[in-house]
């Protein structure tokens, strides 16, 4: 119960934060900050609500593998699209 | 030793629980790849059409986006608590599933209201509809709105799928008694939280580029 409520409170606070910083003119910092906060919220949901940290080893490995494949997919596509 | 009380390929309910959760995580990983591909299309569009994307985004109502984000966070809390109760074979988990369902319907209602407004304002550049946007970089704005409708539409389709599954769970609720009968609640909760995570990224990327 406590873990769920703390996760919920942190998600609500980060929702307010991401909305507030969108109104500040930070240049290239705006999308970086927006994605950083979104990633933090996603991690809160994965660990606080989905219980990823307390899951069986093969499930934690699946989560980690998904992140690695995503990093390869997104990283290589951005590199190919933005270089040259 | 096999459990003869249930028709299952697994020796114990615990084994079955781990296997179904494992399958759900693999499914969610494949879903993440699909949404990541679409978000990459969005990223290249935004890099090529910074002005069009910013102006088009300012036509969206960030208050409704924020409200829907809050609703989804509440629904994630509700289904997380439903899962905790189901894990103890507490049948009152059904009430929290119904709350999750109501919040999901509310989210889709607000989303539908937004889509109706955008269609009325001529901001849907597909299916032969006239695109009435009159700001700078119309091509970029059209690209933004196509990304917007594809991403929010696909997300809403996932919400509908989740709601259908919750509806099925509630319809068969009276037959569920033991802990193993409630694994579906945990697997459905995993799916629902994933759909929440997708929206967590869509909200700033679509609504907060240049909020008005």
């Amino acid at each position: 119960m406590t873990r769920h409520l703390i996760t919920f409170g942190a998600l609500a606070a980060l929702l307010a934060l991401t909305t507030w910083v969108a109104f500040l003119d930070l240049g290239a910092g705006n999308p970086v900050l927006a994605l950083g906060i979104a990633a933090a919220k996603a991690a809160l949901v994965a660990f606080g609500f989905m219980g990823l940290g307390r899951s069986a080893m093969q499930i934690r490995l699946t989560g980690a593998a998904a992140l690695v494949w995503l990093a390869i997919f997104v990283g290589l596509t951005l590199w190919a699209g933005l270089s040259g | 030793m096999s459990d003869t009380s249930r028709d299952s390929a697994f020796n114990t309910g615990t084994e079955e629980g781990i296997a179904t959760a494992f399958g759900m995580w693999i499914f969610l990983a494949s879903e993440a790849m699909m949404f990541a591909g679409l978000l990459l299309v969005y990223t290249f569009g935004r890099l090529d059409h910074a002005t069009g994307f910013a102006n088009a985004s300012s036509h969206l109502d960030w208050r409704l986006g924020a409200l829907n984000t809050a609703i989804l966070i509440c629904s994630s809390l509700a289904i997380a608590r439903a899962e905790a109760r189901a894990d103890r074979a507490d049948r009152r988990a059904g009430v929290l599933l119904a709350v999750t369902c109501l919040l999901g319907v509310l989210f889709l209602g607000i989303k539908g209201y937004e889509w109706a407004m955008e269609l009325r304002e001529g901001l849907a550049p597909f299916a032969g509809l006239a695109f009435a946007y009159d700001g700078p970089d119309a091509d970029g704005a059209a690209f933004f709105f196509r990304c917007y409708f594809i991403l929010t539409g696909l997300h809403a389709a996932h919400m509908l799928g989740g709601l259908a599954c919750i509806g099925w769970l509630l319809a068969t609720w009276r037959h569920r008694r033991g802990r193993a009968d409630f694994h579906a609640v945990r697997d459905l909760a995993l799916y629902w939280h994933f759909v929440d995570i997708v929206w967590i990224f869509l909200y700033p990327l679509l609504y907060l580029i240049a909020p008005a």
Side-chain angles (χ1 to χ4, degrees):
Chain A
M1 181 72 161
T2 309
R3 178 169 54 89
H4 288 155
L5 287 178
I6 289 171
T7 304
F8 174 77
L11 285 170
L14 287 176
L15 165 61
L17 180 66
T18 198
T19 305
W20 177 64
V21 297
F23 286 89
L24 307 177
D25 186 5
L26 304 173
N30 281 112
V32 172
L33 206 52
L35 284 175
I37 295 171
K41 287 165 79 180
L44 273 170
V45 174
F47 287 93
F49 284 154
M50 299 168 91
L52 185 58
R54 298 171 299 115
S55 300
M57 179 56 80
Q58 62 265 52
I59 290 172
R60 278 182 285 165
L61 276 175
T62 308
L67 274 184
V68 171
W69 298 161
L70 269 178
I72 294 170
F73 175 37
V74 172
L76 285 182
T77 310
L78 286 177
W79 174 76
L82 300 180
S83 57
Chain B
M1 295 294 287
S2 65
D3 180 354
T4 54
S5 63
R6 294 185 310 116
D7 181 19
S8 170
F10 301 95
N11 289 325
T12 64
T14 306
E15 269 185 14
E16 183 179 353
I18 292 173
T20 57
F22 184 42
M24 179 55 80
W25 273 99
I26 290 173
F27 169 65
L28 296 181
S30 74
E31 289 272 87
M33 301 301 154
M34 179 179 67
F35 277 104
L38 290 168
L39 286 175
L40 278 171
V41 172
Y42 162 95
T43 301
F44 284 113
R46 182 167 167 179
L47 290 171
D48 278 348
H49 300 281
T51 305
F53 266 53
N55 276 285
S57 171
S58 67
H59 281 73
L60 302 180
D61 189 340
W62 65 267
R63 295 167 195 82
L64 293 178
L67 177 61
N68 258 351
T69 310
I71 289 169
L72 271 195
I73 292 172
C74 291
S75 76
S76 261
L77 175 65
I79 203 164
R81 295 311 306 154
E83 180 195 351
R85 284 189 172 179
D87 199 41
R88 299 190 300 266
D90 181 347
R91 297 181 52 74
R92 289 174 299 170
V95 176
L96 287 161
L97 281 177
V99 170
T100 307
C101 208
L102 284 175
L103 290 168
V105 169
L106 184 59
F107 174 97
L108 286 177
I110 291 170
K111 197 68 234 148
Y113 168 74
E114 281 187 87
W115 284 333
M117 280 202 312
E118 286 137 14
L119 281 169
R120 202 173 52 237
E121 291 172 22
L123 297 175
F126 50 80
L129 296 170
F131 187 48
Y133 169 86
D134 59 359
D137 190 7
D139 285 346
F143 195 164
F144 172 86
F145 276 109
R146 278 194 288 273
C147 288
Y148 165 77
F149 278 102
I150 288 171
L151 286 165
T152 57
L154 194 60
H155 179 266
H158 279 76
M159 294 276 300
L160 277 175
L163 287 174
C165 291
I166 294 177
W168 164 76
L169 260 182
L170 291 175
T172 57
W173 198 246
R174 66 181 187 281
H175 303 302
R176 297 172 189 273
R177 302 279 173 205
R179 282 187 68 196
D181 293 329
F182 290 102
H183 285 152
V185 178
R186 196 264 326 275
D187 298 330
L188 187 55
L190 288 174
Y191 174 83
W192 194 265
H193 295 313
F194 171 80
V195 175
D196 187 7
I197 287 175
V198 171
W199 184 261
I200 279 171
F201 281 94
L202 294 188
Y203 168 58
L205 290 175
L206 297 174
Y207 290 84
L208 297 181
I209 301 177

